[in-house]
Amino acid sequence: MSIKSKIVSVMMAMVLVLSASLIPVGSANAADGLNEQDLQLIEILTAIENMPDEVIMQGEEAIKTYLENEVSFPLGLDEGQGLSDVRMASIGSIAGCVGAVGTAIVVNFTPAKILKIKSALKSVGGATKFVKAIKPYYKMSREDKLSKTASLKQAVRLAAKDAGPDAREALLDLFGVSSVIGSCSAAFGK
């Protein structure tokens, strides 16, 4: 092998190593069995998980602005839009689930409760791990002939099984809002 070939081989190896090191470890993608809608749910939950405490303490308008700036898709948190409007507009889609989660955070929860939800997401290993766990648990529960509401609650409990009781309760509160139940259970499966 000539020196030129050796140099080219070494350079190619370096390029390969460098390009592999630039791939984010633990990123959610299709290889992880997640589709675009799952990634949107992960994105909104990650935004909640990473929301600065100062934003939470500023209240509804700051939270709304923060969430709208942190996600790469429209949340539909327009003035005067109620939870039932989000659900009716997009029931059965993960977009409806994402919108219902965002609206619930903005409209239904006090700063103290949002801080608990944020902490709960961290304690279950983050939004990606939580979403990856909740969908199969939901499908399993539906196969066991549980109602959509009962299936979603059981899926949240099981997905958060390694977290403490306070974390499970906070996530159950978030996924217990009626519009979130309706939108997310329809989006997760039958």
Side-chain angles (χ1 to χ4, degrees):
M1 192 189 264
S2 72
I3 292 181
K4 188 175 181 181
S5 296
K6 287 180 183 178
I7 291 173
V8 169
S9 295
V10 169
M11 294 294 281
M12 292 299 287
M14 290 175 60
V15 167
L16 262 166
V17 168
L18 286 173
S19 64
S21 68
L22 295 175
I23 298 171
V25 177
S27 67
N29 60 35
D32 295 330
L34 299 173
N35 59 34
E36 184 64 33
Q37 293 87 7
D38 297 335
L39 296 175
Q40 287 181 351
L41 183 57
I42 290 168
E43 192 173 341
I44 185 87
L45 292 175
T46 300
I48 294 166
E49 179 183 355
N50 295 328
M51 189 181 306
D53 294 351
E54 308 82 59
V55 171
I56 295 169
M57 300 314 281
Q58 289 174 17
E60 187 175 311
E61 199 56 41
I63 294 167
K64 175 184 165 190
T65 301
Y66 172 82
L67 290 176
E68 288 176 337
N69 289 332
E70 289 299 308
V71 297
S72 61
F73 49 88
L75 278 174
L77 300 177
D78 297 330
E79 291 295 322
Q81 184 178 29
L83 291 172
S84 61
D85 297 332
V86 171
R87 182 172 176 220
M88 296 306 286
S90 50
I91 191 163
S93 70
I94 203 78
C97 175
V98 170
V101 167
T103 302
I105 286 292
V106 171
V107 175
N108 287 60
F109 296 108
T110 64
K113 185 59 94 172
I114 296 170
L115 289 169
K116 285 183 182 179
I117 292 169
K118 174 183 166 179
S119 175
L121 286 166
K122 288 181 181 184
S123 71
V124 298
T128 301
K129 183 176 178 181
F130 182 69
V131 171
K132 282 182 179 180
I134 199 168
K135 286 183 72 171
Y137 285 134
Y138 178 82
K139 288 178 182 178
M140 177 188 70
S141 298
R142 290 295 289 153
E143 288 171 1
D144 289 343
K145 306 294 184 213
L146 293 178
S147 70
K148 290 178 181 179
T149 301
S151 293
L152 188 57
K153 287 181 180 181
Q154 180 169 322
V156 170
R157 271 190 223 95
L158 291 170
K161 67 181 177 249
D162 294 334
D166 290 343
R168 277 192 303 276
E169 198 60 41
L171 291 169
L172 282 167
D173 286 347
L174 175 59
F175 283 90
V177 174
S178 62
S179 65
V180 175
I181 292 170
S183 296
C184 291
S185 63
F188 289 152
K190 303 173 195 172

